[in-house]
Amino acid sequence: MQILTTKEALQQAVAASKQAGQTIGLVPTMGALHAGHASLVRRAVEENDVCFVSVFVNPTQFNNKEDLAKYPRDIERDAALLRSIGASYVFAPTPEEMYTEEEMNSTFSFDFNGLDQVMEGKMRPGHFNGVVQVVSRLFYLVQPDKAYFGEKDYQQLAIIHHMVERSSLSGTFGSLQIVGCPIVREESGLALSSRNERLSAAEKETALGISRTLFASLEWAKEPGASVKEVEHRVVDTINAIEGLEVEYYEIVDQATLLPTDTFEHAIGCVTVYCGPVRLIDNIRYA
Ligand code: PAF
């Protein structure tokens, strides 16, 4: 496995793979890798001739400076994990290598057909612009056949799907296929997240209330006459009743449009909860 830190070295490695007729899988990450990331990389290694993993804490998608500063970073540990799984290349650039100063501070905005106006988009203005800025740059540099994303960031996945579908007309990303992979949970039910590293043992225990409530809500949704609004309120009240947790939003939306829905058919519930200062997200599909 090689670690590349410049766009030039990355593009050389990509060109060599393309010349050899190899298929390329890409897993974009921000590092602090856990078993959820490992599942994406394993799949990319299995399904492609070469697997590129990017490890880059992208400053343009953070609207909170403290969150950016505190985001866990450990490239040595990440590289050891990626090597053990069989990744071919790790791309770990600095922000200055990725962006010009203008790009770092630009407020250009993509059109996401409203997908960015709800939930995370509403709470974190500019966040998805930053995500799409870095992901489209990675797609351009690596020209992957397949790119892998976790379903924990469900809205991000929907937005990336939208971006690739829209650009398929112009052929910008060739025949790129976006692969969404299921949430990986601890045995306790807690969704794996790099931000879990910031939780104390006691906070981790408290955070279990999130997934426990989401799973319980699958049963509430089956109760005779259960409405989407009632289940939404019950989830919020149940989580807020747990000391140390505070819900930012819980919305049950259509899995494709992310718009509010009044049926559980094709619905997904997306939650963001503060556990102390740490912002955690999770989701659950109803049908
Ligand atoms: O999901 C993430 O870790 C990031 O948003 C991504 C896709 C790597 C872009 O920085």
Side-chain angles (χ1 to χ4, degrees), residues 28-30 37 56 58 61 71 131 134-135 149 153 156 160:
T29 81
M30 298 205 299
H37 297 109
F56 177 60
N58 174 34
Q61 72 187 72
Y71 202 86
V131 169
V134 74
V135 168
F149 296 87
D153 295 291
Q156 165 173 285
I160 291 169

Side-chain angles (χ1 to χ4, degrees), residues 210-227:
I210 304 168
S211 54
R212 201 172 50 226
T213 307
L214 293 188
F215 284 118
S217 78
L218 292 179
E219 300 308 316
W220 303 341
K222 288 183 199 146
E223 287 172 6
S227 78

Side-chain angles (χ1 to χ4, degrees), residues 173-190:
F173 303 124
S175 56
L176 169 61
Q177 187 190 334
I178 300 299
V179 184
C181 302
I183 296 180
V184 178
R185 298 181 182 279
E186 288 190 356
E187 221 169 291
S188 63
L190 182 68

